Amino acid sequence: MEYTHLGRSGLSVSRLVLGTMNFGPQTEEPDSHRIMDRALEHGLNFFDTANVYGWQQGEGVTEQIIGRWFAQGGVRREKVVIATKLYGSMSDWPNDTFLSARNIRLACDASLKRLQTDYIDLYQMHHVDRRTPWEEIWQAMEILVQQGKVIYVGSSNFAGWDVATAQCAAAARKAPFVLGRHEE
């Protein structure tokens, strides 16, 4: 397996990422567990999920499957760099969606519980939230990092100009966040 660094960090991740979007709706739990076991056997250490994966609103089915796999022990959690995302609706309530400080905090806690872990390696904003100020988003993310719940913060599905805007806002706060992909 070939490895690279996550962005500009010192964290080594496999160049291949195990996407888990279909764990639950398309891939039953025992098969999902076998897939993750095989991925680790082959040196793949970077797994990607999201709180909405599993497609049952509010359930976080895919995160639950991964959490039960972590709970089996055998250094599964220690060997995996887990990336999860937030943004999509987890309920019909208006504050359980997007990137408000409230939703970031509560969504992170819920993901930690479902994943059965104390920390998320890479917590990603799944989409740009044009209604929430970057100041609010970065403050919430900084708190999660300070609390040890999140190690790295990133983005998914951002256009280049959105990454640049987010980076400028982070730089203004002197926040050590690096979004986007790093090419060697």
Side-chain angles (χ1 to χ4, degrees), residues 91-132:
S91 79
D92 292 333
W93 188 247
N95 288 316
D96 290 341
T97 306
F98 309 126
L99 300 176
S100 70
R102 176 194 182 277
N103 191 46
I104 290 171
R105 177 180 172 200
L106 296 177
C108 180
D109 287 344
S111 287
L112 289 168
K113 185 176 179 181
R114 286 188 295 268
L115 289 165
Q116 298 189 43
T117 187
D118 296 331
Y119 65 96
I120 295 166
D121 296 291
L122 175 60
Y123 200 40
Q124 299 173 95
M125 298 166 276
H126 211 157
H127 299 280
V128 175
D129 182 351
R130 301 198 191 288
R131 292 166 294 253
T132 305

Side-chain angles (χ1 to χ4, degrees), residues 10 12 15 18 38 47 53 60 62 73 76 80 113 134 147:
S12 293
R15 286 195 171 272
L18 178 63
R38 290 287 291 178
F47 293 10
Y53 290 174
T62 302
R76 284 174 172 84
V80 170
K113 185 176 179 181
W134 280 110
Q147 292 173 336

Side-chain angles (χ1 to χ4, degrees), residues 3-39:
Y3 298 91
T4 189
H5 288 107
L6 178 67
R8 294 184 191 148
S9 77
L11 184 66
S12 293
V13 293
S14 51
R15 286 195 171 272
L16 297 175
V17 180
L18 178 63
T20 64
M21 183 170 68
N22 289 317
F23 286 6
Q26 301 294 323
T27 308
E28 293 187 18
E29 188 161 339
D31 292 331
S32 299
H33 287 193
R34 281 192 288 279
I35 289 168
M36 290 184 282
D37 284 336
R38 290 287 291 178

Side-chain angles (χ1 to χ4, degrees), residues 89 122 155 178:
S89 296
L122 175 60
S155 64
V178 180

Side-chain angles (χ1 to χ4, degrees), residues 55-165:
W55 315 121
Q56 293 177 22
Q57 190 178 47
E59 296 295 317
V61 172
T62 302
E63 285 184 336
Q64 289 181 41
I65 290 170
I66 295 167
R68 287 188 288 270
W69 181 76
F70 282 156
Q72 293 176 26
V75 298
R76 284 174 172 84
R77 178 62 188 103
E78 292 79 7
K79 288 188 174 187
V80 170
V81 174
I82 189 71
T84 194
K85 298 179 280 300
L86 84 145
Y87 180 89
S89 296
M90 290 300 284
S91 79
D92 292 333
W93 188 247
N95 288 316
D96 290 341
T97 306
F98 309 126
L99 300 176
S100 70
R102 176 194 182 277
N103 191 46
I104 290 171
R105 177 180 172 200
L106 296 177
C108 180
D109 287 344
S111 287
L112 289 168
K113 185 176 179 181
R114 286 188 295 268
L115 289 165
Q116 298 189 43
T117 187
D118 296 331
Y119 65 96
I120 295 166
D121 296 291
L122 175 60
Y123 200 40
Q124 299 173 95
M125 298 166 276
H126 211 157
H127 299 280
V128 175
D129 182 351
R130 301 198 191 288
R131 292 166 294 253
T132 305
W134 280 110
E135 270 296 306
E136 179 178 344
I137 293 168
W138 285 130
Q139 181 183 22
M141 292 297 189
E142 286 173 19
I143 290 168
L144 294 177
V145 170
Q146 290 166 359
Q147 292 173 336
K149 295 178 180 182
V150 170
I151 299 175
Y152 300 98
V153 176
S155 64
S156 177
N157 300 313
F158 277 38
W161 56 82
D162 292 316
V163 171
T165 301

